[in-house]
Amino acid sequence: MIKIPENIKPLYEKLSEKYSLEVEPLNIRGKVINIVKPANIEELIPEDPFEKVENFPFWIKIWEAAIVLADFMATIKPVNRVLEIGAGLGVVGLTAAAFGHKEVVITDYEDECLDFLRLNAALNNLANVKVEKLDWRKPKDLGSFDIIVGAEVVFSGRFFESLYQLFHKYLVPGGVVYLAHDKERMRTLAPFLYLAEKEFEQAVSQRKLRADDEVYEIVISRLIPRKGTMETNSSA
């Protein structure tokens, strides 16, 4: 049983009025990251099987791709600033902060998701985390970042161009994007990477995660803006 610190009890109680909550501890290379999340996911999934994919509440669960990307972030040399997009419950960004990346800005669009992010950052005593609301189509000024990360963020062709522009807007020269997706998402991910080829140098690797007697194949994509493309997009 995880004890909720007094300073974040009001936020915890606010969320518990709507959701049955549970705390899932994740052991990432010897460090435990505690994640507060809705306990009954089935209650929150739309009943309509034809509901648009972009309306699915992706933030309500811990995705296997997020765990793999979090593990990856725990292995790389800490940088000054990291941006997580489509953070959901914040597994990747929180792990990056716990493993020494100096400032981590964790973003999502859903307001309730932001409350979970604030709660999880406080629960893990991560003072180097900042939570911000971010609309990919109208990105606000957040400064520039050495690394941008996202797990299961490429889910609709409608957002391809917004994501490309987002990377150009926020990356420092020489910055890098790391994305992680279940291999089953390749129907959407492959076109995204194909179209990105003109503007981004790419490398792709695969990792396996065993969980609940299943093996998940996760694709990690690395994107680095090609020389000249950042200047072109910045001045557009």
Side-chain angles (χ1 to χ4, degrees), residues 119-172:
L119 180 63
N120 285 325
L123 182 62
N124 289 282
N125 297 311
L126 294 170
N128 54 335
V129 168
K130 185 177 181 181
V131 175
E132 293 279 359
K133 183 171 184 174
L134 180 62
D135 183 341
W136 297 349
R137 295 161 297 187
K138 298 177 181 179
K140 59 185 178 181
D141 185 14
L142 294 174
S144 55
F145 298 85
D146 304 282
I147 294 175
I148 297 175
V149 292
E152 302 292 6
V153 295
V154 179
F155 55 84
S156 171
R158 289 179 54 199
F159 296 103
F160 284 7
E161 188 59 34
S162 296
L163 284 170
Y164 302 146
Q165 294 300 321
L166 200 72
F167 300 158
H168 284 302
K169 177 180 178 64
Y170 289 133
L171 278 178
V172 301

Side-chain angles (χ1 to χ4, degrees), residues 30-89:
K31 289 191 178 184
V32 176
I33 310 296
N34 290 305
I35 303 295
V36 177
K37 64 185 185 69
N40 300 317
I41 293 177
E42 292 77 12
E43 296 178 0
L44 305 175
I45 297 176
E47 295 181 1
D48 184 357
F50 299 103
E51 184 83 17
K52 290 183 179 180
V53 65
E54 53 262 41
N55 293 333
F56 182 86
F58 284 101
W59 66 269
I60 63 177
K61 75 182 292 287
I62 296 174
W63 296 91
E64 291 75 22
I67 295 174
V68 170
L69 188 54
D71 179 81
F72 174 77
M73 289 299 293
T75 68
I76 66 175
K77 182 179 179 180
V79 298
N80 286 327
R81 300 194 82 214
V82 174
L83 172 67
E84 183 180 7
I85 61 172
L89 295 167

Side-chain angles (χ1 to χ4, degrees), residues 83-129:
L83 172 67
E84 183 180 7
I85 61 172
L89 295 167
V91 171
V92 182
L94 295 174
T95 300
F99 277 84
H101 295 273
K102 292 183 180 179
E103 181 183 8
V104 181
V105 179
I106 304 180
T107 66
D108 209 291
Y109 184 70
E110 300 292 336
D111 289 328
E112 288 190 350
C113 174
L114 298 178
D115 281 338
F116 274 93
L117 290 173
R118 295 185 184 100
L119 180 63
N120 285 325
L123 182 62
N124 289 282
N125 297 311
L126 294 170
N128 54 335
V129 168

